[in-house]
PDB file of all heavy atoms in Angstrom:
ATOM      1  N   ASN A  13      81.935 -32.853  74.884  1.00  0.00           N
ATOM      2  CA  ASN A  13      82.716 -34.175  74.565  1.00  0.00           C
ATOM      3  C   ASN A  13      82.729 -35.090  75.750  1.00  0.00           C
ATOM      4  O   ASN A  13      83.796 -35.353  76.302  1.00  0.00           O
ATOM      5  CB  ASN A  13      84.169 -33.852  73.995  1.00  0.00           C
ATOM      6  CG  ASN A  13      84.883 -32.963  75.103  1.00  0.00           C
ATOM      7  OD1 ASN A  13      84.360 -32.499  75.951  1.00  0.00           O
ATOM      8  ND2 ASN A  13      86.113 -33.069  74.880  1.00  0.00           N
ATOM      9  N   PRO A  14      81.584 -35.496  76.168  1.00  0.00           N
ATOM     10  CA  PRO A  14      81.433 -36.296  77.432  1.00  0.00           C
ATOM     11  C   PRO A  14      82.222 -37.561  77.492  1.00  0.00           C
ATOM     12  O   PRO A  14      82.874 -37.870  78.505  1.00  0.00           O
ATOM     13  CB  PRO A  14      79.975 -36.591  77.735  1.00  0.00           C
ATOM     14  CG  PRO A  14      79.377 -36.433  76.304  1.00  0.00           C
ATOM     15  CD  PRO A  14      80.141 -35.491  75.526  1.00  0.00           C
ATOM     16  N   LEU A  15      82.579 -38.208  76.329  1.00  0.00           N
ATOM     17  CA  LEU A  15      83.219 -39.488  76.405  1.00  0.00           C
ATOM     18  C   LEU A  15      84.628 -39.294  76.795  1.00  0.00           C
ATOM     19  O   LEU A  15      85.342 -39.979  77.623  1.00  0.00           O
ATOM     20  CB  LEU A  15      83.193 -40.218  75.089  1.00  0.00           C
ATOM     21  CG  LEU A  15      83.979 -41.466  74.997  1.00  0.00           C
ATOM     22  CD1 LEU A  15      83.464 -42.479  75.957  1.00  0.00           C
ATOM     23  CD2 LEU A  15      84.002 -42.087  73.511  1.00  0.00           C
ATOM     24  N   ASP A  16      85.313 -38.195  76.380  1.00  0.00           N
ATOM     25  CA  ASP A  16      86.644 -37.790  76.652  1.00  0.00           C
ATOM     26  C   ASP A  16      86.800 -37.029  78.031  1.00  0.00           C
ATOM     27  O   ASP A  16      87.819 -36.989  78.708  1.00  0.00           O
ATOM     28  CB  ASP A  16      87.298 -36.929  75.614  1.00  0.00           C
ATOM     29  CG  ASP A  16      87.428 -37.846  74.335  1.00  0.00           C
ATOM     30  OD1 ASP A  16      87.578 -39.050  74.365  1.00  0.00           O
ATOM     31  OD2 ASP A  16      87.251 -37.204  73.138  1.00  0.00           O
ATOM     32  N   ALA A  17      85.657 -36.201  78.397  1.00  0.00           N
ATOM     33  CA  ALA A  17      85.923 -35.152  79.392  1.00  0.00           C
ATOM     34  C   ALA A  17      85.241 -35.657  80.801  1.00  0.00           C
ATOM     35  O   ALA A  17      85.720 -35.091  81.789  1.00  0.00           O
ATOM     36  CB  ALA A  17      85.290 -33.886  78.896  1.00  0.00           C
ATOM     37  N   LEU A  18      84.309 -36.500  80.824  1.00  0.00           N
ATOM     38  CA  LEU A  18      83.671 -36.922  82.086  1.00  0.00           C
ATOM     39  C   LEU A  18      84.302 -38.221  82.642  1.00  0.00           C
ATOM     40  O   LEU A  18      84.434 -39.091  81.901  1.00  0.00           O
ATOM     41  CB  LEU A  18      82.149 -37.162  81.815  1.00  0.00           C
ATOM     42  CG  LEU A  18      81.317 -35.846  81.651  1.00  0.00           C
ATOM     43  CD1 LEU A  18      79.902 -36.252  81.603  1.00  0.00           C
ATOM     44  CD2 LEU A  18      81.509 -34.973  82.904  1.00  0.00           C
ATOM     45  N   HIS A  19      84.654 -38.195  83.874  1.00  0.00           N
ATOM     46  CA  HIS A  19      85.219 -39.315  84.602  1.00  0.00           C
ATOM     47  C   HIS A  19      84.631 -39.590  85.892  1.00  0.00           C
ATOM     48  O   HIS A  19      84.389 -38.606  86.718  1.00  0.00           O
ATOM     49  CB  HIS A  19      86.678 -39.257  84.673  1.00  0.00           C
ATOM     50  CG  HIS A  19      87.388 -39.206  83.330  1.00  0.00           C
ATOM     51  ND1 HIS A  19      87.812 -40.269  82.603  1.00  0.00           N
ATOM     52  CD2 HIS A  19      87.831 -38.141  82.604  1.00  0.00           C
ATOM     53  CE1 HIS A  19      88.314 -39.944  81.558  1.00  0.00           C
ATOM     54  NE2 HIS A  19      88.420 -38.591  81.526  1.00  0.00           N
ATOM     55  N   VAL A  20      84.256 -40.792  86.341  1.00  0.00           N
ATOM     56  CA  VAL A  20      83.782 -41.068  87.589  1.00  0.00           C
ATOM     57  C   VAL A  20      85.116 -41.469  88.364  1.00  0.00           C
ATOM     58  O   VAL A  20      85.760 -42.347  88.198  1.00  0.00           O
ATOM     59  CB  VAL A  20      82.911 -42.251  87.606  1.00  0.00           C
ATOM     60  CG1 VAL A  20      82.553 -42.784  88.964  1.00  0.00           C
ATOM     61  CG2 VAL A  20      81.536 -42.010  86.727  1.00  0.00           C
ATOM     62  N   LEU A  21      85.111 -40.606  89.516  1.00  0.00           N
ATOM     63  CA  LEU A  21      86.180 -40.912  90.511  1.00  0.00           C
ATOM     64  C   LEU A  21      85.506 -41.360  91.762  1.00  0.00           C
ATOM     65  O   LEU A  21      84.600 -40.817  92.063  1.00  0.00           O
ATOM     66  CB  LEU A  21      86.949 -39.556  90.835  1.00  0.00           C
ATOM     67  CG  LEU A  21      87.525 -38.786  89.624  1.00  0.00           C
ATOM     68  CD1 LEU A  21      88.220 -37.538  90.031  1.00  0.00           C
ATOM     69  CD2 LEU A  21      88.697 -39.760  88.959  1.00  0.00           C
ATOM     70  N   TYR A  22      86.044 -42.440  92.425  1.00  0.00           N
ATOM     71  CA  TYR A  22      85.445 -42.981  93.590  1.00  0.00           C
ATOM     72  C   TYR A  22      86.453 -43.160  94.594  1.00  0.00           C
ATOM     73  O   TYR A  22      87.626 -43.323  94.348  1.00  0.00           O
ATOM     74  CB  TYR A  22      84.735 -44.228  93.113  1.00  0.00           C
ATOM     75  CG  TYR A  22      85.687 -45.377  92.654  1.00  0.00           C
ATOM     76  CD1 TYR A  22      86.240 -46.263  93.469  1.00  0.00           C
ATOM     77  CD2 TYR A  22      86.056 -45.308  91.256  1.00  0.00           C
ATOM     78  CE1 TYR A  22      87.057 -47.162  93.018  1.00  0.00           C
ATOM     79  CE2 TYR A  22      86.981 -46.232  90.839  1.00  0.00           C
ATOM     80  CZ  TYR A  22      87.368 -47.235  91.729  1.00  0.00           C
ATOM     81  OH  TYR A  22      88.316 -48.220  91.108  1.00  0.00           O
ATOM     82  N   SER A  23      85.948 -43.150  95.803  1.00  0.00           N
ATOM     83  CA  SER A  23      86.870 -43.387  96.894  1.00  0.00           C
ATOM     84  C   SER A  23      87.258 -45.039  96.830  1.00  0.00           C
ATOM     85  O   SER A  23      86.317 -45.771  96.724  1.00  0.00           O
ATOM     86  CB  SER A  23      86.134 -43.178  98.234  1.00  0.00           C
ATOM     87  OG  SER A  23      87.004 -43.538  99.329  1.00  0.00           O
ATOM     88  N   ALA A  24      88.498 -45.278  97.015  1.00  0.00           N
ATOM     89  CA  ALA A  24      88.877 -46.655  96.963  1.00  0.00           C
ATOM     90  C   ALA A  24      89.764 -47.049  98.055  1.00  0.00           C
ATOM     91  O   ALA A  24      90.884 -47.473  97.901  1.00  0.00           O
ATOM     92  CB  ALA A  24      89.544 -46.770  95.678  1.00  0.00           C
ATOM     93  N   GLU A  25      89.279 -46.916  99.246  1.00  0.00           N
ATOM     94  CA  GLU A  25      90.005 -47.320 100.443  1.00  0.00           C
ATOM     95  C   GLU A  25      90.298 -48.819 100.302  1.00  0.00           C
ATOM     96  O   GLU A  25      91.302 -49.421 100.817  1.00  0.00           O
ATOM     97  CB  GLU A  25      89.383 -46.945 101.703  1.00  0.00           C
ATOM     98  CG  GLU A  25      89.400 -45.514 102.065  1.00  0.00           C
ATOM     99  CD  GLU A  25      88.572 -45.116 103.339  1.00  0.00           C
ATOM    100  OE1 GLU A  25      88.253 -46.097 104.093  1.00  0.00           O
ATOM    101  OE2 GLU A  25      88.532 -43.943 103.650  1.00  0.00           O
TER     102      GLU A  25
END
Side-chain angles (χ1 to χ4, degrees):
N13 57 341
L15 182 59
D16 297 325
L18 289 179
H19 296 275
V20 173
L21 305 176
Y22 61 95
S23 176
E25 287 179 7

